Amino acid sequence: MSDKKKILTGLQPTGSITLGNYIGAIKQVVKYQEMYDSYIFIADLHAITIPQDPVQLKENIRSLLNIYVACGIDPNKNKIFVQSDNEYHCNISWLLECNTYYGELSRMTQFKDKSKKNQNFTSGLLTYPVLMAADILTYDVDYVPVGGDQKQHVELARDIAERFNNKFGETFKMSEPLISKEGTKIMDLQDPTKKMSKSAENKKGVILLLDDVEVIRKKIMSATTDSEMSVKYDPENKPGISNLLNIYISLTGKTIEEAEEQFAGSNYGEFKKEVANVVIKEVSKIQAKYNELVQTNAIEEILNNGRDYVVPIAKQKYELMKQKMGLGR
Ligand code: TYM
């Protein structure tokens, strides 16, 4: 057993992932995979909280795995698996659900937003954060690399863990969200007051990792800015420019101050051109690797290895919970 700290994260396989997903979650895993014992999975059970076409979903699951590897997630350093391959997540989720209050779930910001958009939402949309808590608590992880939009859900997992531990005795580790300062929320390029999201109606504001590079250039060149002429970080008054600066520093490793200094005196066109170059350089590498991977069948072995590693761990946690709760014979 390794004594390294553990990290875990997951992404929903709902179409090509965005630059926001990449910067908020995947890039962090790539950064930390050397240092931590690292788990990353494909959250297909979370995807079905809203209706999915089965054929498309299957394709998206396989594509996301290739995206993970193309982005630099190393199958030798990570446990990579499909959530639904490990049936214990649902079992554990049910036991946790019975220790979670309706009030807590109905107060989650994401639930409030998504349920407002559709009157006919499923109960899975409400209980989604409990399944996420099960994903996290099953493996006793120390940190959960996520974007800022998932912070509330990771905090709820801590509340659920604490309640369970108090009621039934020490069972779960308390995990913390791991959120990079600059990547916390990459915003929509057309409406920089909203987060960049796959589900946005206007796709012009959303960069997908598998977008054609010339389309990416156009999207960045037509990003909303402001009527001033200074490349300065000020999210409140200059959300468009601040968002582009965040993207730029997330991909170059520079600080905000270094970037501001670099672009002092540049006009917005010159600045955007450089942001586009940096994004395209990063995305082109990912796309080249992705196109190679789709020709191979490497994913089968990776996912089998991941499943074989995680299922026994989850079984053990489930049995422990059952025993503590007095379930079974
Ligand atoms: P999902 O699929 O919506 O998003 C995947 C990851 O991308 C981050 N993210 C962003 N980060 C910065 N800027 C953005 N615009 C942006 N948009 C998305 C999200 O914060 C997330 O880290 N419920 C999760 C998946 C999940 C999970 C888990 C995550 C299921 N179980 C356990 C961590 C641990 C979700 O729907 O993420």
Side-chain angles (χ1 to χ4, degrees), residues 78-81 301-311:
N78 288 271
K79 271 59 90 179
I80 308 179
F81 62 102
E301 196 186 340
I302 295 171
L303 293 179
N304 287 343
N305 289 343
R307 180 201 55 207
D308 293 348
Y309 191 94
V310 297
V311 169

Side-chain angles (χ1 to χ4, degrees), residues 83-279:
Q83 189 184 27
S84 68
D85 269 0
N86 187 350
E87 285 140 30
Y88 290 100
H89 285 231
C90 286
N91 293 359
I92 291 172
S93 180
W94 175 251
L95 305 194
L96 295 177
E97 241 176 74
C98 296
N99 286 284
T100 306
Y101 296 107
Y102 171 79
E104 288 176 299
L105 296 177
S106 61
R107 279 195 297 274
M108 291 288 115
T109 309
Q110 198 177 80
F111 170 71
K112 286 199 280 190
D113 288 350
K114 289 195 176 170
S115 57
K116 229 185 277 157
K117 280 187 203 147
N118 184 356
Q119 291 294 305
N120 272 329
F121 57 86
T122 66
S123 48
L125 195 67
L126 177 73
T127 56
Y128 159 127
V130 190
L131 178 60
M132 184 161 159
D135 302 334
I136 296 168
L137 300 178
T138 295
Y139 303 100
D140 289 322
V141 301
D142 296 277
Y143 304 115
V144 185
V146 281
D149 62 322
Q150 293 294 336
K151 182 167 179 250
Q152 201 184 30
H153 293 161
V154 181
E155 283 165 353
L156 178 73
R158 285 173 67 86
D159 292 345
I160 297 173
E162 192 173 22
R163 182 176 311 132
F164 195 100
N165 287 347
N166 286 339
K167 206 162 159 190
F168 300 106
E170 204 59 27
T171 310
F172 298 119
K173 186 166 211 162
M174 305 284 274
S175 316
E176 282 173 41
L178 189 66
I179 300 177
S180 78
K181 207 164 85 228
E182 65 280 2
T184 174
K185 219 179 203 182
I186 301 301
M187 309 307 264
D188 188 287
L189 299 177
Q190 289 296 313
D191 179 357
T193 61
K194 280 205 228 126
K195 82 164 181 179
M196 186 181 282
S197 162
K198 289 176 261 211
S199 56
E201 264 163 41
N202 181 356
K203 297 288 179 255
K204 272 177 73 186
V206 182
I207 296 178
L208 300 177
L209 278 195
L210 299 182
D211 267 346
D212 182 273
V213 292
E214 285 316 312
V215 172
I216 294 179
R217 196 185 305 281
K218 270 202 202 114
K219 286 179 178 175
I220 294 176
M221 293 311 291
S222 58
T224 303
T225 52
D226 52 60
S227 55
E228 291 176 12
M229 268 318 228
S230 63
V231 180
K232 284 256 171 267
Y233 189 74
D234 177 358
E236 207 161 298
N237 300 309
K238 298 165 72 68
I241 289 295
S242 303
N243 187 37
L244 292 173
L245 271 169
N246 263 339
I247 292 173
Y248 184 76
I249 64 164
S250 299
L251 299 184
T252 56
K254 294 186 179 171
T255 62
I256 286 283
E257 293 72 29
E258 285 166 346
E260 282 178 343
E261 200 176 311
Q262 179 185 348
F263 295 108
S266 301
N267 64 39
Y268 286 171
E270 288 160 344
F271 170 54
K272 284 176 167 176
K273 213 164 137 192
E274 198 44 36
V275 176
N277 286 341
V278 165
V279 173

Side-chain angles (χ1 to χ4, degrees), residues 2-18:
S2 140
D3 53 7
K4 276 185 183 172
K5 294 217 170 195
K6 279 188 202 161
I7 57 170
L8 168 140
T9 201
L11 283 85
Q12 291 192 44
T14 40
S16 175
I17 66 162
T18 70

